[in-house]
Amino acid sequence: RNEALRAIKRFGRTLWRRWSGYHRRSRVETKMNCMKLLGQKLMSRDFDRQTAELQVRIAILNRFTALGIPVTQPVG
């Protein structure tokens, strides 16, 4: 933690985020939290069915994300 704070102080938060991969890690943690909200455990016991169950959850998350992205149109 101390090294991160020193790097932020020396280079700035923006460069530190790019250098450390913080932005990507933060986005992944957010998506994993969303996955957990759809269910903490897998219901299926068979590996192929577990794979299908995860793919369905991911499809749901992708659809929610698509619904939340604004559509911009030029005016005039």
Side-chain angles (χ1 to χ4, degrees), residues 11-59:
F11 302 115
R13 189 173 299 272
T14 304
L15 287 176
W16 172 77
R17 283 180 180 166
R18 285 187 195 151
W19 172 74
S20 67
Y22 177 82
H23 182 66
R24 177 177 283 176
R25 184 171 53 242
S26 175
R27 291 183 67 157
V28 169
E29 287 175 2
T30 302
K31 281 299 176 186
M32 288 304 296
N33 186 35
C34 292
M35 284 284 291
K36 288 180 181 180
L37 291 176
L38 291 175
Q40 195 75 340
K41 295 182 181 180
L42 295 175
M43 299 298 169
S44 304
R45 291 186 179 189
D46 183 44
F47 180 74
D48 292 332
R49 290 183 180 167
Q50 286 178 349
T51 304
E53 187 177 337
L54 287 173
Q55 288 174 343
V56 168
R57 288 182 188 184
I58 291 169

Side-chain angles (χ1 to χ4, degrees), residues 31 60-70:
K31 281 299 176 186
I60 291 170
L61 281 176
N62 287 339
R63 182 66 179 146
F64 285 159
T65 302
L67 289 173
I69 295 174

